[in-house]
Structures are given as structure tokens and as C-alpha cells.
Amino acid sequence: MWKWCFECCIKCLGGIPYASLIATILLYAGVALFCGCGHEALSGTVNILQTYFEMARTAGDTLDVFTMIDIFKYVIYGIAAAFFVYGILLMVEGFFTTGAIKDLYGDFKITTCGRCVSAWFIMLTYLFMLAWLGVTAFTSLPVYMYFNLWTICRNTTLVEGANLCLDLRQFGIVTIGEEKKICTVSENFLRMCESTELNMTFHLFIVALAGAGAAVIAMVHYLMVLSANWAYVKDACRMQKYEDIKSKEEQELHDIHSTRSKERLNAYT
């Protein structure tokens, strides 16, 4: 009994696509970091803009920075849901293209649909990898902005009497006609540098950038896994055709020998 259970467990563990499992864990971790930290960092950015830069939401349907931040939050919700489903689909594809499936379910029949699905996942994963590269590049922009702001705060404490200013127009956050500038001599700037909100938002954006980078690595890992699976499916298809032809030839030879044996038997009788 125990031996049978042990063999069953070993067979089940052998059927797990570990490469796809590692890529899925890395993808989920990266997406979770990006979505969670990115959402909180955007919320912190709204508080900083409203509290220290004295910006307010524009009434009506005007597309301002706060509306853009709300759009980015909804995009984050969509990314989290989409890649949760996509990770499950890739895991299922990994299970059905693992060599251990042959031992678990007998003959491994490769269909044209299976090959098309594998090719489709390769193309889709490549496009998602390019998309995550763009997301990573885009996420580096707020990291750069907050690094400049953090550097100004640090230089103010190191150099006495320094009058440094940060104008939001140079980052495209506000229009040219609006002057939203904060200088080191102002009270709002000193309160912002002393608060933990700035430091927290800056590090949240850094973690979100790291999460986007982890998602890129997961996509590259998936591409390697899917390419290996595609090669396996292709070889299995060729082997299947060879086995079918071999079985057909053996059946034909068997029929020929049976016919000749019957003819000799009839001639003898």
C-alpha cells in the first residue's frame, strides 16, 4: 500500500512542469509588486500634489494629472486581472506539453490544434514581453522625478542657504501656462522633505519598477519554456507519424504473410 502511494506521488510530481511553475511564480510576484506598490505610489503622488504643491482637481471633463492618475489605477486593475488569468493559461499549457503526460495518460496524441495553440502562446508571450519592457521604461520616469526631488531635499540639508526650486512644468505634469513651483525656502517644501510620505512614495515606485523588471524576466522565462515545449510537440508529432507509418507497414506485411500462408495451405491440401 505504502509503495503504491509512493509511486503514485512520484508519478504526480514528475508530471509538474517545474519550468512553467517557476515562471508563473515570478510573473505573479512581479505583477503583484508592480500593481500593489504602483497603486499606492500613485495615491501618495496625489496627496503630495494636493498637500505640498497646492494643486486641485479640475472641474468638468478636463484631462488633468489627477484624471491621468485615476486612468493609470484602472489600468493597474486590468493588468492584475489579465495576467492572473494568463499565468493560469500558461500553466495549463505547460501541463499538457510536459513529457510526463505521456506516462500519466498513455499515448500522447499531438493534434494540429495543439501545435497552433503552442505557436499562439509563443507569439502572445513575445508581445507581452515587449509590452512589459515599455511598462518598465515608463515606470522609470516617476522614479527619476522622485529621485530629483529627493536629491533636492538632501542638498538642502547639506548646503545651508541653498535656494533650489522644482517646477512641475519641466516634467509635463502641468501645462506651460500654470506655474506650480516649489522652492527650498518655502514652508511647504520643508514640510514635504521632513514628512515620511515623500520617502515612502519614492521607494514604492522603486519597488514597482523592480516588479515590472521581474515580469519582463518571467516573460523571457516563459518564452524559453514555450520554445522548448514547441520543439517537444514538433518532435512528438514526427514520432507519431513515424509510428503510424511503421504500424501500417507492419500490418501490410502481416496481411501479405497471412495471404501467402493461406495460399500454400490451399495448394498443399
Side-chain angles (χ1 to χ4, degrees):
M1 181 65 181
W2 288 105
K3 184 179 180 181
W4 180 83
C5 292
F6 178 76
E7 292 178 354
C8 184
C9 291
I10 294 298
K11 185 178 290 187
C12 291
L13 290 175
I16 298 176
Y18 291 101
S20 297
L21 180 62
I22 293 173
T24 302
I25 293 174
L26 185 60
L27 175 64
Y28 282 169
V31 172
L33 288 176
F34 173 78
C35 294
C37 295
H39 183 275
E40 292 302 316
L42 290 174
S43 300
T45 300
V46 171
N47 294 332
I48 290 175
L49 291 177
Q50 291 177 338
T51 304
Y52 304 110
F53 287 89
E54 298 178 352
M55 294 182 61
R57 291 181 178 269
T58 305
D61 298 331
T62 306
L63 187 63
D64 58 356
V65 62
F66 297 106
T67 305
M68 292 297 297
I69 289 176
D70 292 337
I71 293 174
F72 290 149
K73 286 184 178 180
Y74 285 115
V75 170
I76 286 176
Y77 300 150
I79 289 175
F83 279 93
F84 175 77
V85 175
Y86 190 66
I88 294 177
L89 292 177
L90 289 177
M91 272 298 296
V92 172
E93 196 273 344
F95 271 107
F96 279 101
T97 52
T98 300
I101 299 297
K102 182 176 180 181
D103 299 328
L104 291 174
Y105 299 104
D107 293 334
F108 190 71
K109 298 297 183 182
I110 304 299
T111 62
T112 304
C113 180
R115 284 176 286 168
C116 291
V117 168
S118 297
W120 171 254
F121 272 121
I122 291 175
M123 182 187 69
L124 198 60
T125 304
Y126 180 75
L127 294 177
F128 280 146
M129 184 197 68
L130 296 179
W132 274 109
L133 283 174
V135 170
T136 304
F138 183 78
T139 310
S140 64
L141 295 178
V143 174
Y144 171 73
M145 296 177 187
Y146 273 97
F147 177 76
N148 287 338
L149 187 56
W150 178 78
T151 304
I152 292 176
C153 288
R154 184 180 180 185
N155 291 337
T156 303
T157 57
L158 294 178
V159 181
E160 296 182 0
N163 187 14
L164 305 176
C165 296
L166 179 68
D167 195 342
L168 295 182
R169 291 177 295 182
Q170 64 183 345
F171 298 112
I173 297 178
V174 296
T175 59
I176 299 298
E178 300 180 60
E179 184 177 354
K180 293 297 180 181
K181 182 171 61 174
I182 186 171
C183 297
T184 55
V185 293
S186 63
E187 183 180 355
N188 285 341
F189 184 86
L190 296 177
R191 289 193 298 111
M192 181 181 63
C193 292
E194 292 175 356
S195 67
T196 59
E197 194 171 19
L198 175 64
N199 191 46
M200 178 63 69
T201 305
F202 176 42
H203 286 86
L204 284 174
F205 272 120
I206 292 177
V207 177
L209 179 61
V216 173
I217 297 175
M219 290 292 105
V220 175
H221 196 162
Y222 268 129
L223 279 177
M224 294 188 294
V225 173
L226 291 171
S227 299
N229 289 343
W230 167 257
Y232 171 77
V233 168
K234 190 175 180 180
D235 292 340
C237 183
R238 291 177 179 176
M239 183 61 67
Q240 178 181 328
K241 291 180 180 180
Y242 171 76
E243 293 292 339
D244 292 341
I245 293 173
K246 183 179 178 181
S247 177
K248 186 177 180 181
E249 290 179 351
E250 289 178 352
Q251 184 64 36
E252 290 177 354
L253 290 174
H254 178 72
D255 294 339
I256 292 172
H257 285 302
S258 297
T259 304
R260 290 180 178 178
S261 297
K262 289 180 180 180
E263 291 176 353
R264 290 176 182 176
L265 181 61
N266 292 333
Y268 177 77
T269 56

